[in-house]
Amino acid sequence: MIVSFSFFSCNSKKKIYSQNESFENFKKLFIATIWERNPDWALALGNHEYDERLEIPSKENRDKKIGIYKSLTDSLKKYDWKKITPENSIDARIMMNYLESFNWNCYELKSFEWNPAEYNVGEGFDLILGNSKLVLEKRLSVINNRLKYVPEFYIVAKSNIQKPTIEHTELAILQNKGALEIFEKNIPDSIGISKLTVEEKTELNNRLSQAIVSIKEYVSYLEQVKKGFESDTTTSRSFRLGKALYEKKFQFEMQSCFSVDQIFQKAKDHKTEIQNEMIGYTKQLWSKYFGAVEMPEGLASVKMMIDTLSKQHCLPELYVETIKKQIPELEVFIKQKNLLTLDSNKPLEVRETPKYLRGGGAGASINAPGPYDKNAKTYYNVTPLDGYSPDDAESYLREYNNWILQILNIHEALPGHYAQLVYSNKVDDIIKSVFQNNAMIEGWAVYGERMMLEEGYGNNTPEMWLMYYKWHLRSTINTILDYSVQCLNMSKDDALKLMIEEGFQTKAEAEGKWRRATLTQTQLCCYFTGYTEIYALREDQKKVLGSSFSLKSFHEKFLSYGSVPVKYIWEIMKAEDKN
Ligand code: ZN
Ligand code: ZN
């Protein structure tokens, strides 16, 4: 058996992919075309080639892009996907998915008509101003050239908008007002300390003033639109996508092997399973924490137990320190249990979030470098709680109590996002790093939590499992919430009830999540969808490989393809199983 196995795998390595070289060249052309046509996207990913241009969101430009994308689609279709390597056949489908989703947005979704928050020039200018690779004077000269486009940008934006949603209109007002600071303060401050000539400064200041006027006009236009909603409700569109659009968006965004209906059903079933597990653990723990107090029925007992356990948390002044200490413990556990090779050349650095990155809410998250800056350091940014009032710090720490904080570190750092990122960055493939699949990325982090506990992290205590399930319930409920709000007309009251009563979330958390569910679509599903796929794939591999299955090999193989849709990794693994 072993002999024939190696014979076949040898053979398959020699397999000739006759169109592969040509396909590699096509990929280069493809990505160059994408950047040329989408200067803002290029800039956001760290490619500064087109910084001096701002894309005008006109119908004319859109039509031009549709034409160019059509010819890319035609070229892509000429390749026989069996005559390129399996890795490239993944790329081919990722590229096709992007081209199709672009068309679908132009003709079906049309978010450029109803989402005024799509129009905001702030971020691009902010990124250029912060580009430390250029001297300040050069940055300001790029900004000067780019500013020329701002007035037209907002004129076209206004003409695009038809029947916007109330929620996205309000968001656009808020965010465009927020962008003003860049033009009224940050850029002028930089001009002040620069060595530009008086003439250059005058020209720049004039263009800045025009940009500020344009943004303010856009904001007051949107405020008028908003007033109009009050007198005539038919002028606005519902933020709910409805089933048909949602289903299609789910396909494009998740690229999952499951349909949206399957995922929704799985999430509903999973919620019940989790709640039953939680009731079981609460029973085990009851007398330890409540003595002779009578245990209420069902979820009420779970809520009491969670509230009691949540009081065990670190001191606010030790928050950053506590996280720093946990990372090496996770590393040791992963090594001891043989779960994954961690690259010792890429140690994770935990640091206090730099001041300029704070303000996006508290917490801890991985600061990942973009595809054009892969060798830049990756940090685990942790924001200290010193800006918090004592009450806010207490409520934050109850949420991130002794157990949940460990699960957060598993999710963000090891073996979650950080470890996945190190593996993903080793895949030197521009298509895979530009079109990353969020369901795979979030799914891996959520899978990592489960896998660590299954392997005994936290010593299998009922406290750890109960808190894990509370956390895990969140991503499960996110999925139910998103689908129900977007497709089934779920009311805000019912949504809050679901999150608070069935998911043990605080009112503040649930309110924030409701807002997210009105402003985004399908995004809240990626955690549970990816997790479900990865877990199913692992169980499938266990069955197929039997006693030769190794968790470590599975993890390393799974991560080695980059941040691509799970179904394609599944497909390659399946093909290799047959060899
Ligand atoms: Zn406390
Ligand atoms: Zn995450």
Side-chain angles (χ1 to χ4, degrees), residues 64-109:
K64 221 185 268 170
K65 213 189 273 189
I66 289 172
I68 291 163
Y69 282 12
K70 169 88 174 61
S71 72
L72 286 178
T73 308
D74 291 344
S75 308
L76 192 53
K77 280 182 177 159
K78 283 190 192 120
Y79 287 95
D80 179 345
W81 296 351
K82 297 219 163 54
K83 292 184 177 153
I84 54 181
T85 62
E87 287 78 6
N88 269 338
S89 100
I90 294 181
D91 286 5
R93 282 168 290 175
I94 292 174
M95 289 147 85
M96 196 57 100
N97 185 71
Y98 165 70
L99 294 168
E100 283 173 0
S101 75
F102 178 83
N103 261 339
W104 175 74
N105 189 23
C106 289
Y107 295 115
E108 307 285 335
L109 184 67

Side-chain angles (χ1 to χ4, degrees), residues 411-412 417 442 445 527:
H411 180 104
E412 295 294 337
H417 290 319
E442 289 303 341
Y527 306 81

Side-chain angles (χ1 to χ4, degrees), residues 364-542:
S365 63
I366 292 293
N367 184 238
Y372 288 94
D373 208 7
K374 274 187 181 178
N375 291 323
K377 265 196 174 161
T378 300
Y379 294 100
Y380 187 14
N381 287 332
V382 184
T383 309
L385 303 178
D386 29 330
Y388 276 56
S389 73
D391 278 355
D392 287 350
E394 176 65 20
S395 118
Y396 179 82
L397 287 168
R398 283 193 184 196
E399 187 66 32
Y400 292 94
N401 55 56
N402 283 355
W403 296 278
I404 302 266
L405 195 58
Q406 298 180 63
I407 295 164
L408 175 74
N409 289 327
I410 291 175
H411 180 104
E412 295 294 337
L414 295 171
H417 290 319
Y418 178 72
Q420 193 265 328
L421 185 75
V422 173
Y423 275 84
S424 183
N425 275 345
K426 282 186 189 151
V427 182
D428 191 19
D429 185 307
I430 189 69
I431 299 294
K432 292 184 180 79
S433 43
V434 168
F435 299 96
Q436 296 191 343
N437 183 259
N438 268 331
M440 185 277 182
I441 293 172
E442 289 303 341
W444 170 260
V446 175
Y447 163 79
E449 301 157 6
R450 170 99 208 167
M451 183 273 293
M452 288 288 275
L453 260 74
E454 284 177 346
E455 295 303 310
Y457 183 82
N459 296 320
N460 276 314
T461 61
E463 286 92 341
M464 190 66 173
W465 275 103
L466 180 69
M467 282 301 181
Y468 160 75
Y469 275 122
K470 185 205 174 221
W471 174 270
H472 190 49
L473 194 51
R474 179 150 81 177
S475 53
T476 308
I477 286 183
N478 279 348
T479 303
I480 301 174
L481 175 75
D482 195 45
Y483 182 88
S484 308
V485 167
Q486 294 291 332
C487 305
L488 305 177
N489 226 9
M490 181 185 252
S491 69
K492 183 178 180 183
D493 277 352
D494 286 345
L496 294 181
K497 231 166 136 178
L498 171 70
M499 290 182 275
I500 295 168
E501 287 174 22
E502 291 214 63
F504 314 103
Q505 296 180 17
T506 60
K507 180 112 198 298
E509 190 190 350
E511 288 274 0
K513 202 53 72 61
W514 165 258
R515 187 174 149 75
R516 213 173 133 188
T518 64
L519 292 172
T520 67
Q521 313 89 25
T522 73
Q523 201 193 67
L524 284 167
C525 290
C526 67
Y527 306 81
F528 180 75
T529 303
Y531 161 78
T532 305
E533 290 181 282
I534 297 169
Y535 206 85
L537 167 59
R538 188 190 76 181
E539 295 310 294
D540 181 63
Q541 284 290 296
K542 270 186 185 168

Side-chain angles (χ1 to χ4, degrees), residues 313-322 385 393 397 402:
H313 57 73
C314 69
L315 290 168
E317 57 273 28
L318 294 181
Y319 176 66
V320 179
E321 207 50 41
T322 310
L385 303 178
L397 287 168
N402 283 355

Side-chain angles (χ1 to χ4, degrees), residues 549-573:
F549 175 85
S550 135
L551 197 53
K552 189 182 186 190
S553 315
F554 169 73
H555 291 154
E556 289 174 358
K557 192 142 195 46
F558 177 81
L559 294 176
S560 71
Y561 300 101
S563 308
V564 302
V566 177
K567 67 174 171 187
Y568 299 140
I569 304 177
W570 197 324
E571 180 189 287
I572 293 190
M573 282 188 168

